mmCIF file of all heavy atoms in Angstrom:
data_model
loop_
_atom_site.group_PDB
_atom_site.id
_atom_site.type_symbol
_atom_site.label_atom_id
_atom_site.label_comp_id
_atom_site.label_asym_id
_atom_site.label_seq_id
_atom_site.Cartn_x
_atom_site.Cartn_y
_atom_site.Cartn_z
ATOM 1 N N ASP A 281 3.531 2.942 9.312
ATOM 2 C CA ASP A 281 3.891 1.729 8.512
ATOM 3 C C ASP A 281 3.508 2.029 7.061
ATOM 4 O O ASP A 281 4.208 1.721 6.245
ATOM 5 C CB ASP A 281 2.975 0.560 8.994
ATOM 6 C CG ASP A 281 3.519 0.127 10.384
ATOM 7 O OD1 ASP A 281 4.694 0.301 10.715
ATOM 8 O OD2 ASP A 281 2.678 -0.438 11.119
ATOM 9 N N ILE A 282 2.323 2.540 6.850
ATOM 10 C CA ILE A 282 1.898 2.846 5.471
ATOM 11 C C ILE A 282 2.668 4.004 4.824
ATOM 12 O O ILE A 282 3.070 3.732 3.701
ATOM 13 C CB ILE A 282 0.414 3.392 5.529
ATOM 14 C CG1 ILE A 282 -0.510 2.377 6.311
ATOM 15 C CG2 ILE A 282 -0.163 3.617 4.234
ATOM 16 C CD1 ILE A 282 -0.628 1.057 5.556
ATOM 17 N N ALA A 283 3.078 4.898 5.595
ATOM 18 C CA ALA A 283 3.788 6.051 4.887
ATOM 19 C C ALA A 283 5.149 5.517 4.549
ATOM 20 O O ALA A 283 5.808 6.079 3.564
ATOM 21 C CB ALA A 283 4.076 7.223 5.902
ATOM 22 N N SER A 284 5.848 4.548 5.256
ATOM 23 C CA SER A 284 7.082 4.194 5.032
ATOM 24 C C SER A 284 7.316 2.981 4.028
ATOM 25 O O SER A 284 8.403 2.539 3.703
ATOM 26 C CB SER A 284 7.799 3.802 6.269
ATOM 27 O OG SER A 284 7.135 2.767 6.970
ATOM 28 N N LEU A 285 6.111 2.419 3.478
ATOM 29 C CA LEU A 285 6.104 1.349 2.472
ATOM 30 C C LEU A 285 6.858 1.751 1.219
ATOM 31 O O LEU A 285 6.756 2.780 0.701
ATOM 32 C CB LEU A 285 4.764 0.888 2.125
ATOM 33 C CG LEU A 285 3.899 0.414 3.144
ATOM 34 C CD1 LEU A 285 2.359 0.120 2.584
ATOM 35 C CD2 LEU A 285 4.444 -0.973 3.601
ATOM 36 N N THR A 286 7.800 0.847 0.889
ATOM 37 C CA THR A 286 8.679 0.973 -0.275
ATOM 38 C C THR A 286 8.495 -0.186 -1.225
ATOM 39 O O THR A 286 9.480 -1.154 -1.197
ATOM 40 C CB THR A 286 10.064 1.320 -0.172
ATOM 41 O OG1 THR A 286 10.573 0.344 0.696
ATOM 42 C CG2 THR A 286 10.255 2.653 0.606
ATOM 43 N N PRO A 287 7.412 -0.548 -1.955
ATOM 44 C CA PRO A 287 7.073 -1.794 -2.573
ATOM 45 C C PRO A 287 8.172 -2.055 -3.663
ATOM 46 O O PRO A 287 8.575 -1.038 -4.449
ATOM 47 C CB PRO A 287 5.751 -1.663 -3.076
ATOM 48 C CG PRO A 287 5.090 -0.535 -2.379
ATOM 49 C CD PRO A 287 6.287 0.482 -1.963
ATOM 50 N N ASP A 288 8.310 -3.323 -3.950
ATOM 51 C CA ASP A 288 9.043 -3.823 -5.146
ATOM 52 C C ASP A 288 7.942 -3.977 -6.203
ATOM 53 O O ASP A 288 7.068 -5.003 -6.186
ATOM 54 C CB ASP A 288 9.654 -5.197 -4.901
ATOM 55 C CG ASP A 288 10.368 -5.802 -6.029
ATOM 56 O OD1 ASP A 288 10.084 -5.358 -7.146
ATOM 57 O OD2 ASP A 288 11.291 -6.636 -5.869
ATOM 58 N N MET A 289 7.717 -3.004 -7.033
ATOM 59 C CA MET A 289 6.663 -3.029 -7.944
ATOM 60 C C MET A 289 6.633 -4.299 -8.852
ATOM 61 O O MET A 289 5.561 -4.791 -9.175
ATOM 62 C CB MET A 289 6.679 -1.740 -8.844
ATOM 63 C CG MET A 289 6.440 -0.513 -7.995
ATOM 64 S SD MET A 289 4.829 -0.500 -7.161
ATOM 65 C CE MET A 289 4.951 1.030 -6.219
ATOM 66 N N ARG A 290 7.716 -4.846 -9.133
ATOM 67 C CA ARG A 290 7.760 -6.029 -10.072
ATOM 68 C C ARG A 290 7.153 -7.138 -9.196
ATOM 69 O O ARG A 290 6.373 -8.016 -9.712
ATOM 70 C CB ARG A 290 9.059 -6.425 -10.603
ATOM 71 C CG ARG A 290 9.604 -5.467 -11.727
ATOM 72 C CD ARG A 290 10.783 -6.050 -12.323
ATOM 73 N NE ARG A 290 11.274 -5.206 -13.393
ATOM 74 C CZ ARG A 290 12.462 -5.483 -14.279
ATOM 75 N NH1 ARG A 290 13.008 -6.556 -14.086
ATOM 76 N NH2 ARG A 290 12.763 -4.745 -15.127
ATOM 77 N N ALA A 291 7.434 -7.158 -7.924
ATOM 78 C CA ALA A 291 6.917 -8.351 -7.078
ATOM 79 C C ALA A 291 5.420 -8.065 -6.833
ATOM 80 O O ALA A 291 4.643 -9.140 -6.861
ATOM 81 C CB ALA A 291 7.776 -8.353 -5.798
ATOM 82 N N VAL A 292 5.122 -6.874 -6.675
ATOM 83 C CA VAL A 292 3.608 -6.568 -6.495
ATOM 84 C C VAL A 292 2.895 -6.921 -7.713
ATOM 85 O O VAL A 292 1.792 -7.635 -7.628
ATOM 86 C CB VAL A 292 3.344 -5.090 -6.019
ATOM 87 C CG1 VAL A 292 1.935 -4.683 -6.057
ATOM 88 C CG2 VAL A 292 3.962 -4.769 -4.832
ATOM 89 N N ALA A 293 3.237 -6.622 -8.880
ATOM 90 C CA ALA A 293 2.558 -6.964 -10.127
ATOM 91 C C ALA A 293 2.540 -8.483 -10.314
ATOM 92 O O ALA A 293 1.642 -8.976 -10.966
ATOM 93 C CB ALA A 293 3.458 -6.419 -11.341
ATOM 94 N N ALA A 294 3.471 -9.191 -9.721
ATOM 95 C CA ALA A 294 3.421 -10.670 -9.922
ATOM 96 C C ALA A 294 2.375 -11.451 -8.983
ATOM 97 O O ALA A 294 2.132 -12.569 -9.097
ATOM 98 C CB ALA A 294 4.880 -11.306 -9.736
ATOM 99 N N LEU A 295 1.873 -10.726 -7.982
ATOM 100 C CA LEU A 295 0.923 -11.258 -7.015
ATOM 101 C C LEU A 295 -0.393 -11.463 -7.725
ATOM 102 O O LEU A 295 -0.653 -10.933 -8.684
ATOM 103 C CB LEU A 295 0.718 -10.235 -5.882
ATOM 104 C CG LEU A 295 1.955 -10.060 -4.989
ATOM 105 C CD1 LEU A 295 1.795 -8.857 -4.117
ATOM 106 C CD2 LEU A 295 2.317 -11.299 -4.164
ATOM 107 N N PRO A 296 -1.305 -12.368 -7.198
ATOM 108 C CA PRO A 296 -2.510 -12.790 -7.849
ATOM 109 C C PRO A 296 -3.571 -11.587 -7.856
ATOM 110 O O PRO A 296 -4.668 -11.861 -8.458
ATOM 111 C CB PRO A 296 -2.964 -13.957 -7.172
ATOM 112 C CG PRO A 296 -2.288 -13.891 -5.736
ATOM 113 C CD PRO A 296 -1.099 -13.096 -5.935
ATOM 114 N N TYR A 297 -3.398 -10.522 -7.150
ATOM 115 C CA TYR A 297 -4.386 -9.507 -7.272
ATOM 116 C C TYR A 297 -3.952 -8.238 -8.027
ATOM 117 O O TYR A 297 -2.710 -7.933 -7.969
ATOM 118 C CB TYR A 297 -4.710 -9.016 -5.762
ATOM 119 C CG TYR A 297 -5.280 -10.190 -5.004
ATOM 120 C CD1 TYR A 297 -4.498 -11.069 -4.223
ATOM 121 C CD2 TYR A 297 -6.628 -10.397 -4.838
ATOM 122 C CE1 TYR A 297 -4.965 -11.960 -3.575
ATOM 123 C CE2 TYR A 297 -7.159 -11.377 -4.114
ATOM 124 C CZ TYR A 297 -6.394 -12.355 -3.464
ATOM 125 O OH TYR A 297 -6.905 -13.350 -2.751
ATOM 126 N N LYS A 298 -4.800 -7.600 -8.624
ATOM 127 C CA LYS A 298 -4.498 -6.462 -9.546
ATOM 128 C C LYS A 298 -3.976 -5.128 -8.796
ATOM 129 O O LYS A 298 -3.271 -4.377 -9.277
ATOM 130 C CB LYS A 298 -5.618 -6.072 -10.456
ATOM 131 C CG LYS A 298 -5.930 -7.230 -11.366
ATOM 132 C CD LYS A 298 -7.060 -6.808 -12.453
ATOM 133 C CE LYS A 298 -7.354 -7.988 -13.382
ATOM 134 N NZ LYS A 298 -8.460 -7.659 -14.365
ATOM 135 N N GLY A 299 -4.536 -5.075 -7.605
ATOM 136 C CA GLY A 299 -4.219 -3.886 -6.725
ATOM 137 C C GLY A 299 -4.078 -4.289 -5.255
ATOM 138 O O GLY A 299 -4.876 -5.156 -4.747
ATOM 139 N N LEU A 300 -3.303 -3.576 -4.568
ATOM 140 C CA LEU A 300 -3.121 -3.804 -3.202
ATOM 141 C C LEU A 300 -3.468 -2.597 -2.358
ATOM 142 O O LEU A 300 -2.896 -1.446 -2.710
ATOM 143 C CB LEU A 300 -1.621 -4.122 -2.640
ATOM 144 C CG LEU A 300 -1.130 -5.524 -3.217
ATOM 145 C CD1 LEU A 300 0.265 -5.721 -2.755
ATOM 146 C CD2 LEU A 300 -2.038 -6.545 -3.131
ATOM 147 N N ILE A 301 -4.568 -2.578 -1.516
ATOM 148 C CA ILE A 301 -5.004 -1.514 -0.660
ATOM 149 C C ILE A 301 -4.282 -1.554 0.615
ATOM 150 O O ILE A 301 -4.664 -2.503 1.402
ATOM 151 C CB ILE A 301 -6.435 -1.420 -0.586
ATOM 152 C CG1 ILE A 301 -7.151 -1.392 -1.962
ATOM 153 C CG2 ILE A 301 -6.916 -0.152 0.114
ATOM 154 C CD1 ILE A 301 -8.574 -1.829 -1.878
ATOM 155 N N CYS A 302 -3.328 -0.675 0.982
ATOM 156 C CA CYS A 302 -2.631 -0.954 2.248
ATOM 157 C C CYS A 302 -3.214 0.111 3.186
ATOM 158 O O CYS A 302 -3.351 1.385 2.835
ATOM 159 C CB CYS A 302 -1.106 -0.704 2.058
ATOM 160 S SG CYS A 302 -0.377 -1.985 1.000
ATOM 161 N N THR A 303 -3.706 -0.221 4.310
ATOM 162 C CA THR A 303 -4.237 0.638 5.344
ATOM 163 C C THR A 303 -3.953 0.476 6.625
ATOM 164 O O THR A 303 -3.550 -0.540 7.093
ATOM 165 C CB THR A 303 -5.893 0.481 4.962
ATOM 166 O OG1 THR A 303 -6.605 1.431 5.807
ATOM 167 C CG2 THR A 303 -6.341 -0.995 5.474
ATOM 168 N N ALA A 304 -4.193 1.512 7.448
ATOM 169 C CA ALA A 304 -4.009 1.518 9.007
ATOM 170 C C ALA A 304 -4.742 2.556 9.583
ATOM 171 O O ALA A 304 -5.303 3.509 8.907
ATOM 172 C CB ALA A 304 -2.484 1.673 9.308
ATOM 173 N N PRO A 305 -4.915 2.586 10.846
ATOM 174 C CA PRO A 305 -5.505 3.743 11.550
ATOM 175 C C PRO A 305 -4.778 5.059 11.307
ATOM 176 O O PRO A 305 -3.534 5.028 11.255
ATOM 177 C CB PRO A 305 -5.503 3.329 13.029
ATOM 178 C CG PRO A 305 -5.288 1.847 13.198
ATOM 179 C CD PRO A 305 -4.569 1.540 11.923
ATOM 180 N N GLY A 306 -5.537 6.167 11.272
ATOM 181 C CA GLY A 306 -4.971 7.376 11.016
ATOM 182 C C GLY A 306 -4.647 8.155 12.300
ATOM 183 O O GLY A 306 -5.113 7.792 13.271
ATOM 184 N N ASN A 307 -3.652 9.088 12.175
ATOM 185 C CA ASN A 307 -3.308 9.921 13.406
ATOM 186 C C ASN A 307 -4.206 11.145 13.600
ATOM 187 O O ASN A 307 -4.675 11.516 14.639
ATOM 188 C CB ASN A 307 -1.985 10.323 13.304
ATOM 189 C CG ASN A 307 -0.920 9.178 13.489
ATOM 190 O OD1 ASN A 307 -1.067 8.169 14.232
ATOM 191 N ND2 ASN A 307 0.193 9.285 12.735
ATOM 192 N N ASP A 308 -4.534 11.759 12.374
ATOM 193 C CA ASP A 308 -5.384 12.833 12.485
ATOM 194 C C ASP A 308 -6.759 12.621 11.500
ATOM 195 O O ASP A 308 -7.386 13.583 11.037
ATOM 196 C CB ASP A 308 -4.774 14.121 11.872
ATOM 197 C CG ASP A 308 -4.168 13.852 10.572
ATOM 198 O OD1 ASP A 308 -4.278 12.831 9.978
ATOM 199 O OD2 ASP A 308 -3.643 14.860 9.927
ATOM 200 N N CYS A 309 -7.049 11.380 11.414
ATOM 201 C CA CYS A 309 -8.224 11.070 10.683
ATOM 202 C C CYS A 309 -8.470 9.512 11.104
ATOM 203 O O CYS A 309 -7.820 8.977 11.959
ATOM 204 C CB CYS A 309 -8.119 11.046 9.060
ATOM 205 S SG CYS A 309 -6.763 9.979 8.465
ATOM 206 N N ASP A 310 -9.663 8.907 10.571
ATOM 207 C CA ASP A 310 -9.988 7.629 11.044
ATOM 208 C C ASP A 310 -9.099 6.470 10.435
ATOM 209 O O ASP A 310 -8.777 5.531 11.106
ATOM 210 C CB ASP A 310 -11.465 7.332 10.822
ATOM 211 C CG ASP A 310 -12.422 8.234 11.458
ATOM 212 O OD1 ASP A 310 -12.315 8.096 12.746
ATOM 213 O OD2 ASP A 310 -13.186 8.921 10.902
#
């Protein structure tokens, strides 16, 4: 899910947070 994200950067910039940390369990890491 994380690898395939294709954000709309203008829409992300319009959100109320300065940065989005997208995360999920790893396959070869935690």
Side-chain angles (χ1 to χ4, degrees):
D281 292 335
I282 302 299
S284 63
L285 290 174
T286 54
D288 177 338
M289 292 301 176
R290 287 191 178 184
V292 173
L295 294 169
Y297 297 89
K298 293 182 179 181
L300 300 185
I301 308 162
C302 299
T303 189
N307 295 325
D308 57 354
C309 60
D310 291 306

